[in-house]
Every structure is written in structure tokens, then in C-alpha cells.
Amino acid sequence: MLKTLKTYFGYTQFRPLQQEIISCILNKKDTLVLMPTGGGKSICYQLPALMMEGTAIVVSPLISLMKDQVESLQANGIAARALNSSNNETENANLRLECAQGKIKLLYISPERLLSEVGFLLRDIKISLFAIDEAHCISQWGHDFRPEYTQLKVLRQQFPQVPIVALTATADKITRQDILRQLAMRDPQIFISSFDRPNLSLEVKRGYQQKEKIRAIVKFIERHPGESGIIYCMSRNGTEKVAELLEEKGFKVAVYHAGLDNLEREKAQDDFINDRVQIVCATIAFGMGIDKSNVRWVIHYNLPKSIESFYQEIGRAGRDGLPSDTLLFYSFGDIVLLSKFAAESKQQDINLEKLNRMQQYAESDICRRRILLNYFGETADHDCGNCDVCRNPPERFDGTIIVQKALSAIARTDQQVGTRTLTDILKGAVTQEIIDKGYDKLKTYGAGRDIPARDWQDYLLQMLNLGYFEVAYNENNHLKITEAGRKVLFGHATAQLVVIKREERTVKPSRKSTRKDVSLQPVIPTLIPAIFEDEDEQLFETLRQLRKQLADQQAIPPYIVLSDKTLHLLASRQPRTLDAFGEISGIGEYKKKKYGKDFIEAIEAYKAENKR
Ligand code: ADP
Ligand code: ZN
């Protein structure tokens, strides 16, 4: 097994559970694999496919996913093909022939196609195993339900001797039961790996307005020069606005949402996968169809509606296992809107509860990863050290007076205001509404002048989360004081608030540095930071360009030529012989022969140039 792993995939070790799962499949047992995105599910069925006689049939729900998998297998010299609606008749005829001759090790197929081939192609070839990828699509309870998946139970009846392996990153019990039952799996072995993704850093920023968010995003991306990332927004408008603002700052951004036509969406996805744009601003619709292993960061511009969605979306970063960063913004407006959606949805109670848990995550003052793992039923016994709470624990102060000012203002308006008007009252602003309603005559008018409006937004969000007031979604989002709030208002309890920490503004260049001076400075490209010791950042950039060139020549994405991790290893170990090149993780026999010479030459040229 290890030999096959190195020969074809270039890896020298299995990830947790991979070896056990592979043995199980080789023993022809039905198997269910639950692993997080990036956990390494593919190898679990690809390796047995290579070791067993015949062709493995892989069911996959999306053409783009099949394409990605087939391309990466072929890039490792493995005979893989896809049978789907994007093929023409000649291609299909050839494919059938190759399958019948036993030349194909893995055949990817859509579920509807599979069903129509049960009595034809599948009868004519020797099948090693069935792999059902994204198996949660079988469950109506899941988020990606596909009716065709429910008919896959014919496989167990029609091919009793062929093992079935189902794989998914959705771990909940109902989905799991559904998969086992609907595929009619026989005495299935179930493998559940940890859902922890320690390479993803976690960070939350609360109560930022648009301008501050953009400023924080720019700073964040500057720490990731040239590295791919996704920004998730709640609305289509949001994606376009954020994209526009980032483009003004000079970034290459694509937009992806359900309002675009298929071609536009395909282009956005394609540009992203092939590193032609660095950033995609997307609604949640983006991501299921991509396996890009070098997404280095994910930002949520708005709060997601549940921890499941959140985890799935950040999971698209760092599939190659390298450190990757995630950032979540969350504001009062998000809560108001999401609560409204949840309250109006079919499964109101469940959805409100899910939102509630998401909110608790965002508000947490204990290690955020512990909360996530806990949510997925795993207990973590230590703090992660890779989230903002671990790195910078929140500080609290006695905020009783601040809370009293706000609650008193709410009370004096007969609880007829939302956060905006409340802030206006506290700040002593002069607006039409304030004058019309006589709020300027209230005792609390202007009582919070000393606190900036944006900090009021933050404090009000904290107060909502502390349960001092509620938002009446059915009454223009007016704020209603709760029992807990009344206690603070009347001095029977104190309130602990969290100290607000803001991004420092980046200092603008002073006026003295005139245009002329600036243009005289050489443009220094910002380099992607090293990951390994002894890694040469400049060499990494050189190799990255070579990778892009090789990728473009073959019309495949750069991360399929070599992963980011392999590239970083090359820039650190700097192999000068083919054997040394072949020892690098991620380089199997095929890639060694195909790319070894090019990369060794590039390294030698670089060393010769930089000798001193
Ligand atoms: P999933 O399908 O679970 O999201 P993948 O199968 O796409 O994950 O694997 C994620 C990444 O991890 C891929 O780049 C893959 O090549 C890599 N990978 C898988 N197994 C190993 C391993 N044993 N050693 C090193 N890298 C691995
Ligand atoms: Zn932590």
C-alpha cells in the first residue's frame, strides 16, 4: 500500500484512518467514510482502485468535481476518465472501448448516467468497486439533496459481489443512517475521522462597518500576497460591492452568485482555479464544485446562518494541509436579517437554534475551536492556540453605566426604536425622526456622546448577546428590554462588557513624499511568506511561475501540476538530482519523469544567478 501511495501520489505516509479504510475496501467490505473537507477522502478509494483488478466506478454529483478529480489522477499518470453529458459521442464510444478492454482504472460518472448504464456498460466491464462521493446528497435532510442518488440502491442488488464505499464530509447522525439505509449497505464498516482542521486559523471581528471591514480585509490580504482566497457575502449585492471596493485597491477579483448565468459563473470559477484572479466574492453557492487545494484563506463578510455552513465554507481553505487563515465579520445587521430569515423559514425552531449556536461561536470567550469541535460531537481537551481567543483573550470591564444609558433610552421611547435611532439619541444627533418624535427632549438625549457611534454598535451587539434586550422582528426591529436588562437598568445587577479592539489605521504616506519620489522607487513584488525552514522565498516565486507556465501549457490548474506544499518543499530542499526531486512529498513516479528536469534546471539557474 505504501509503495503504491508513493509511486502514484508521491506521499510517504497515510493520513489518519486512510490505511484502515483502504484495507477494509481491499477486503471487499462495504464502507462508510466520514471525513472533513481536505481530510483526504479521495485516496481512500483511489488507492484500492489501483491495487484491485478492473475498473472502479466513482459516482460524483458535479461535472466540475469529476473534471478536477480526473485531471489530478491523469497528472499522476493514472488512467481515469469521466462519463457525463459534456462528452460527445465519439469520446463516449472510445471510452466504452477502453473500459471493455480493462484499460481504465477509475471511471467517474454522474448518478443519472450510472443508472442508465446498469444494464449496459456496467455489465460489460469488470468492476473493482463502487465509490459514492458526496454521499450526503442521498439524504433529504442534507443541504445538497439529489433525487437521483436515492436510486443508487440498485447497485447493491445488481452487483452483490462488488464493495461499495460511500464518502462524505457531512457527519450528522441522520445523514449517516440515511446513507447506510438507502445504499442498502451490507454489514458496513464505518469510519469517522476527527473533524478538526488544525491548520485553519480562526478569527472573529465584531461590529465593523463597511469601511472598516474593507480596511481590515485589505490588511488581511496583504499578509497573503498573490494567494487565493474566497470572501463569502450574504447577498448578491454584497458580493458585487465588495468586489468593486477591492478592485479599486488593485486586487483581481471575480464575483460568483446565483444571479449570474452559467457561463459567467463557469468563467469565475475557472479564473479562480487557474490562478487568473486571486479573489472570489461569492454567495454560499460557490465552492461545492471546486477542489482547489491551495485556497489559502476564507473571509466571511457576514455571519453565516449555521455552524455547519460556516465550517463547510472555511473548510475550503488549506486542503493541502498548509497553514491557512479564516476571518469572520459579524454585525448587528447580520443578526437582525438572519433572525428574520430563520423566523420566516419552514423549520423555524431548528433554524433559530442553529443561528443561535453560530452567534455563540462568534461571541465566544473560550477557544473557538473547542466550540466547533464540541458542536460536531468531539470533545477537545486543550485550547488550540490558533484562534484569536487563544492568542488574545478578550478583556472585560464594568460596563454597567453604558448599558444603563442605552436601556434607559430604550425605555424612555416606550421601546419604539431600533438600533439606529437609539444610537442617534445616545449621540445627540439631529435627524428628522428625532425632531418629529421629540426624542431630543428625552433625559438620555446625548447621554452617550463620549462614545463613538461605531462603538455603540458594538456595545449594543454585546448587550443583545448578553440578553439585555431582544429585537422584535415583527415590529420594525424595535428593541424590547428583557428581565435581565431590567435588573441592570435598575441597579440590581452589573454588566461586564468586552473591551473593543480596533484595527489600527494604516498611516497614509505624508504629503511630503511627492508623486515623483514614489515613482522613483523600484517596484518590489511582495513575496509569499516561507513555510519551511531554509526556504528561499524568491526561489519559491520562481518555481511558482514555472508551475503556472507548465499548467497553462497543459490547460490544467497550477495546483494540479504540483501542490503548494510540494512547491514550498522544493524551495526549501532545493533538489539538484532527479532522485532527490522524486523524494519530495507529492511527487510520484509520473511527475518525477514529467517535471523533474524543468524544476531542477530552474533551481540550478536560480542558484547560479544568486551565487555570491
Ligand atoms: P477531501 O476529498 O477529503 O476533501 P482530498 O482527497 O481532496 O480531500 O485530499 C486533500 C488533499 O490532501 C489533497 O491535496 C491530497 O493530495 C492530500 N492528501 C491526501 N492524502 C494524503 C497523504 N497521505 N499525505 C499527504 N497528502 C495527502
Ligand atoms: Zn483556540
Side-chain angles (χ1 to χ4, degrees):
M1 278 160 58
L2 273 171
K3 189 159 172 285
T4 315
L5 183 71
K6 179 63 197 167
T7 305
Y8 285 100
F9 301 98
Y11 303 134
T12 48
Q13 277 178 346
F14 284 106
R15 294 236 184 108
L17 293 187
Q18 281 180 331
Q19 192 160 9
E20 291 86 336
I21 294 165
I22 293 167
S23 304
C24 194
I25 300 172
L26 290 175
N27 286 326
K28 304 212 163 200
K29 293 206 148 183
D30 284 357
T31 314
L32 174 62
V33 177
L34 308 169
M35 258 189 203
T37 315
K41 285 186 282 301
S42 317
I43 280 182
C44 295
Y45 64 82
Q46 290 169 348
L47 203 79
L50 290 169
M51 296 177 71
M52 290 161 88
E53 218 184 298
T55 306
I57 307 293
V58 187
V59 180
S60 175
L62 292 175
I63 293 181
S64 57
L65 283 180
M66 290 187 209
K67 184 165 178 275
D68 193 286
Q69 294 273 350
V70 169
E71 279 175 356
S72 37
L73 286 165
Q74 288 177 346
N76 280 322
I78 298 166
R81 299 278 186 281
L83 182 61
N84 58 44
S85 52
S86 72
N87 301 14
N88 62 37
E89 275 317 303
T90 339
E91 280 173 330
N92 278 344
N94 279 339
L95 204 151
R96 278 166 203 282
L97 191 66
E98 285 178 313
C99 283
Q101 293 170 336
K103 287 187 181 157
I104 306 297
K105 291 311 290 180
L106 292 114
L107 179 66
Y108 285 75
I109 189 165
S110 60
E112 55 275 22
R113 196 64 191 241
L114 176 86
L115 294 166
S116 68
E117 294 288 354
V118 166
F120 299 95
L121 180 64
L122 300 192
R123 283 261 155 250
D124 300 339
I125 61 181
K126 178 162 177 50
I127 300 170
S128 55
L129 62 98
F130 288 107
I132 318 294
D133 208 2
E134 312 286 350
H136 59 277
C137 291
I138 212 166
S139 174
Q140 295 202 39
W141 308 108
H143 32 86
D144 307 310
F145 176 54
R146 303 208 162 225
E148 315 84 62
Y149 262 69
T150 57
Q151 294 170 43
L152 293 174
K153 60 165 76 71
V154 301
L155 296 179
R156 186 67 302 152
Q157 298 154 7
Q158 299 280 325
F159 304 92
Q161 73 294 356
V162 181
I164 296 179
V165 49
L167 310 102
T168 174
T170 304
D172 70 77
K173 280 205 188 101
I174 304 175
T175 313
R176 201 188 305 170
Q177 295 304 335
D178 245 10
I179 296 171
L180 295 176
R181 188 174 50 82
Q182 299 217 44
L183 288 175
M185 287 180 129
R186 193 177 42 200
D187 184 21
Q189 304 290 304
I190 304 173
F191 295 90
I192 306 175
S193 88
S194 165
F195 272 66
D196 193 9
R197 300 279 313 277
N199 61 320
L200 302 183
S201 77
L202 305 167
E203 186 178 2
V204 177
K205 289 189 186 291
R206 179 185 52 214
Y208 277 42
Q209 330 252 289
Q210 180 175 292
K211 251 194 189 158
E212 290 169 282
K213 284 193 195 176
I214 297 294
R215 203 182 302 137
I217 291 174
V218 169
K219 269 188 121 178
F220 180 99
I221 304 175
E222 279 170 357
R223 280 188 271 129
H224 291 278
E227 295 187 311
S228 306
I230 308 173
I231 303 178
Y232 286 106
C233 304
M234 199 178 334
S235 68
R236 296 175 192 181
N237 276 344
T239 60
E240 278 165 11
K241 186 78 211 166
V242 175
E244 190 187 313
L245 290 169
L246 290 176
E247 271 171 351
E248 278 171 20
K249 307 267 181 201
F251 295 104
K252 283 195 186 159
V253 191
V255 171
Y256 186 102
H257 57 67
L260 302 174
D261 63 40
N262 277 347
L263 270 178
E264 288 171 305
R265 269 186 285 166
E266 257 168 47
K267 180 170 180 335
Q269 186 165 302
D270 227 52
D271 283 347
F272 184 60
I273 287 172
N274 289 292
D275 293 347
R276 289 189 287 267
V277 298
Q278 185 192 355
I279 303 164
V280 181
C281 290
T283 51
I284 44 158
F286 183 73
M288 161 120 186
I290 63 162
D291 259 347
K292 184 174 165 67
S293 70
N294 62 341
V295 176
R296 291 268 71 88
W297 52 269
V298 167
I299 294 177
H300 281 88
Y301 193 80
N302 304 103
L303 191 75
K305 65 181 193 310
S306 68
I307 290 190
E308 284 95 339
S309 318
F310 172 66
Y311 205 59
Q312 199 182 35
E313 284 155 17
I314 61 169
R316 295 188 177 125
R319 280 181 182 228
D320 50 15
L322 291 181
S324 304
D325 294 322
T326 77
L327 171 61
L328 163 70
F329 290 105
Y330 126 84
S331 70
F332 207 101
D334 294 344
I335 303 271
V336 170
L337 212 58
L338 287 168
S339 303
K340 188 166 171 295
F341 292 156
E344 288 166 358
S345 68
K346 255 193 233 146
Q347 295 171 304
Q348 190 188 50
D349 291 348
I350 298 177
N351 290 336
L352 281 168
E353 176 55 21
K354 287 191 170 185
L355 177 59
N356 205 358
R357 300 288 296 268
M358 187 65 231
Q359 224 173 316
Q360 282 166 7
Y361 168 83
E363 266 312 301
S364 169
D365 53 10
I366 65 163
C367 171
R368 295 198 202 274
R369 199 171 315 266
R370 291 180 89 146
I371 303 215
L372 288 178
L373 292 179
N374 215 320
Y375 185 83
F376 293 111
E378 282 177 51
T379 33
D381 55 1
H382 61 278
D383 289 351
C384 76
N386 196 18
C387 74
D388 54 343
V389 177
C390 281
R391 278 196 230 106
N392 202 356
E395 291 162 43
R396 294 186 185 274
F397 68 101
D398 184 342
T400 309
I401 293 180
I402 293 176
V403 174
Q404 285 171 336
K405 280 180 184 171
L407 293 179
S408 145
I410 298 173
R412 282 167 200 276
T413 64
D414 289 330
Q415 312 194 90
Q416 295 300 311
V417 289
T419 54
R420 177 167 302 172
T421 312
L422 176 61
T423 313
D424 285 343
I425 294 172
L426 289 163
K427 291 292 291 175
V430 185
T431 68
Q432 198 60 47
E433 191 193 1
I434 299 254
I435 308 294
D436 288 351
K437 301 220 165 120
Y439 291 156
D440 52 340
K441 314 241 160 30
L442 296 180
K443 217 177 144 203
T444 35
Y445 181 70
R449 265 206 188 91
D450 51 326
I451 295 174
R454 55 182 194 163
D455 286 2
W456 271 117
Q457 287 293 316
D458 188 316
Y459 289 139
L460 290 177
L461 184 52
Q462 292 192 38
M463 284 154 69
L464 174 70
N465 287 317
L466 288 166
Y468 295 150
F469 58 72
E470 292 165 343
V471 180
Y473 300 105
N474 50 355
E475 268 184 60
N476 294 323
N477 299 327
H478 288 164
L479 309 178
K480 309 287 171 185
I481 302 173
T482 60
E483 200 42 53
R486 224 160 267 131
K487 282 196 184 133
V488 180
L489 180 58
F490 298 122
H492 303 313
T494 59
Q496 293 290 309
L497 296 180
V498 170
V499 177
I500 301 171
K501 290 171 194 153
R502 298 265 170 206
E503 292 286 295
E504 280 168 38
R505 278 166 179 271
T506 26
V507 190
K508 290 207 177 118
S510 71
R511 300 226 163 196
K512 270 187 238 153
S513 69
T514 59
R515 275 244 160 115
K516 216 169 137 209
D517 293 338
V518 173
S519 67
L520 278 176
Q521 283 174 0
V523 187
I524 306 164
T526 338
L527 292 172
I528 293 176
I531 286 184
F532 297 109
E533 250 178 82
D534 301 338
E535 184 181 341
D536 184 327
E537 294 177 3
Q538 188 70 52
L539 175 59
F540 178 83
E541 189 51 38
T542 308
L543 300 179
R544 197 164 87 108
Q545 282 165 19
L546 173 60
R547 175 177 74 168
K548 171 80 173 140
Q549 200 184 320
L550 293 166
D552 287 349
Q553 279 166 14
Q554 305 169 78
I556 56 174
Y559 68 88
I560 286 183
V561 172
L562 292 180
S563 75
D564 277 18
K565 184 166 180 185
T566 303
L567 217 56
H568 280 289
L569 283 168
L570 286 174
S572 147
R573 306 240 191 102
Q574 310 180 1
R576 312 289 266 277
T577 66
L578 210 52
D579 281 342
F581 180 79
E583 269 168 29
I584 305 279
S585 170
I587 296 177
E589 280 305 312
Y590 189 79
K591 288 188 178 175
K592 177 176 157 187
K593 289 206 186 79
K594 186 155 187 178
Y595 303 124
K597 199 164 152 281
D598 287 334
F599 279 93
I600 292 167
E601 274 173 15
I603 292 168
E604 296 206 310
Y606 175 84
K607 294 308 267 184
E609 212 171 286
N610 292 276
K611 219 189 300 175
R612 241 187 307 167

